[in-house]
């Protein structure tokens, strides 16, 4: 499977704990995006990288959230001191210049439940 | 502010009925427009896209959409739906990279 992969697929945690999610983009896609989706809503943009540079962050991304893409390949999204309001599906997408940056391919998501 | 509005939250149709899902956007500048579909238990998949040129675009599975610049609209259509089209449909717009999504329309097709 050469699509976008995310790990874990499901995460249940207690309020106040830290969690980290991983995203592996399609090989050679140099842009990587993170979105969050809650029930009944469309995905909301969180942040994106071009190679290892983080180019934009949403105001939704509070200081408890941090994302990295240290080698320009996989990315991690960490949430510190989780709150119940963080419960959502976290989606990763990737795109490449060759395929028009704006065409993004999505992974299956990580569903986070904060108890 | 950039935004996307989908008019219908939940649409119920019988098989063979025609479908039109509304999408309006607010965005300054050149836009790229998309419809994504999410089948039950699956991840978001691209249904069709508009970048430039012919405003009537065709996508997979018999879907098409028309970009009307004067109305800031990008409505999705299908002449005859099938039970397998049951899914959630999202309209999205981008100009600079990040996608801005509508809240989605859940389509239920009765056999």
């Amino acid at each position: 499977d050469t699509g976008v992969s995310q790990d874990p697929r499901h995460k249940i945690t207690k309020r106040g704990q830290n969690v980290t999610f991983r995203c592996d983009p399609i090989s050679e896609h140099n842009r990587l995006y993170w979105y969050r989706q809650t029930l009944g809503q469309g995905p909301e943009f969180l942040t994106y990288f071009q190679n290892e540079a983080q180019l934009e962050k949403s105001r939704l991304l509070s200081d408890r959230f941090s994302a990295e893409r240290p080698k320009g390949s996989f990315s991690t999204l960490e949430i510190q001191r989780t709150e119940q309001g963080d419960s959502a599906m976290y989606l990763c997408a990737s795109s490449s210049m060759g395929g028009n940056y704006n065409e993004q391919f999505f992974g299956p998501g990580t569903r986070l439940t904060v108890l | 502010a950039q935004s996307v509005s989908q008019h219908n939250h939940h649409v119920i149709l019988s098989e063979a009925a025609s479908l039109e899902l509304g999408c309006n956007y607010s965005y300054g500048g050149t836009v790229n427009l998309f419809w994504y579909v999410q089948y039950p238990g699956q991840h978001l998949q691209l249904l069709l896209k508009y970048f430039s040129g012919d405003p009537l675009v065709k996508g997979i599975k018999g879907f098409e959409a028309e970009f009307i610049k004067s109305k800031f609209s990008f409505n999705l259509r299908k002449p005859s739906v099938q039970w397998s089209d049951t899914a959630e449909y999202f309209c999205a717009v981008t100009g600079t990279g990040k996608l801005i999504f509508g809240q989605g329309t859940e389509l239920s097709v009765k056999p």
Side-chain angles (χ1 to χ4, degrees):
Chain A
D1 185 6
T2 57
V4 178
S5 62
Q6 294 187 244
D7 184 70
R9 297 289 302 277
H10 303 273
K11 179 70 177 178
I12 300 174
T13 191
K14 293 182 179 179
R15 189 175 52 188
Q17 298 294 304
N18 299 344
V19 294
T20 300
F21 310 141
R22 176 179 170 126
C23 171
D24 286 87
I26 293 171
S27 178
E28 298 180 357
H29 276 195
N30 57 353
R31 280 199 179 175
L32 186 150
Y33 308 79
W34 286 100
Y35 294 84
R36 180 172 66 187
Q37 185 177 19
T38 53
L39 200 62
Q41 300 296 319
E44 295 176 296
F45 169 77
L46 293 178
T47 188
Y48 86 94
F49 295 82
Q50 182 163 309
N51 300 314
E52 63 274 11
Q54 190 172 20
L55 296 189
E56 187 173 351
K57 290 195 299 185
S58 165
R59 281 174 287 179
L60 292 174
L61 212 64
S62 77
D63 56 7
R64 297 186 296 105
F65 288 69
S66 62
E68 294 183 340
R69 195 182 183 200
K71 298 181 180 178
S73 56
F74 72 92
S75 174
T76 58
L77 177 68
E78 181 183 17
I79 309 174
Q80 296 182 326
R81 304 181 304 281
T82 52
E83 302 173 356
Q84 288 185 324
D86 298 330
S87 295
M89 178 75 86
Y90 290 82
L91 300 171
C92 178
S94 68
S95 67
S96 72
M97 182 191 298
N100 187 309
Y101 271 134
N102 289 335
E103 184 171 348
Q104 298 177 24
F105 297 83
F106 282 82
T110 294
R111 183 170 295 284
L112 173 66
T113 302
V114 181
L115 302 176
Chain B
Q2 304 160 355
S3 65
V4 176
S5 175
Q6 292 184 238
H7 310 309
N8 313 100
H9 189 59
H10 191 188
V11 173
I12 302 173
L13 294 173
S14 298
E15 276 193 316
S18 63
L19 170 72
E20 181 161 2
L21 301 182
C23 172
N24 285 91
Y25 66 92
S26 171
Y27 195 94
T30 303
V31 295
N32 296 151
L33 294 155
F34 305 84
W35 277 95
Y36 280 86
V37 60
Q38 189 166 28
Y39 298 103
Q42 297 188 27
H43 59 275
L44 278 167
Q45 300 172 40
L46 183 65
L47 198 55
L48 50 78
K49 60 193 178 192
Y50 172 79
F51 290 155
S52 63
D54 189 343
L56 184 62
V57 293
K58 295 191 183 301
I60 60 173
K61 303 186 181 186
F63 286 91
E64 65 179 31
E66 185 175 13
F67 170 53
I68 303 179
K69 189 175 181 180
S70 61
K71 295 184 178 181
F72 300 92
S73 71
F74 190 56
N75 292 354
L76 181 71
R77 299 194 292 250
K78 185 171 185 179
S80 176
V81 295
Q82 301 173 319
W83 177 80
S84 59
D85 293 324
T86 294
E88 190 151 19
Y89 293 80
F90 294 94
C91 181
V93 62
T94 187
T96 61
K98 67 184 181 187
L99 285 168
I100 299 165
F101 286 87
Q103 68 180 114
T105 297
E106 185 179 348
L107 172 65
S108 300
V109 180
K110 299 184 293 184

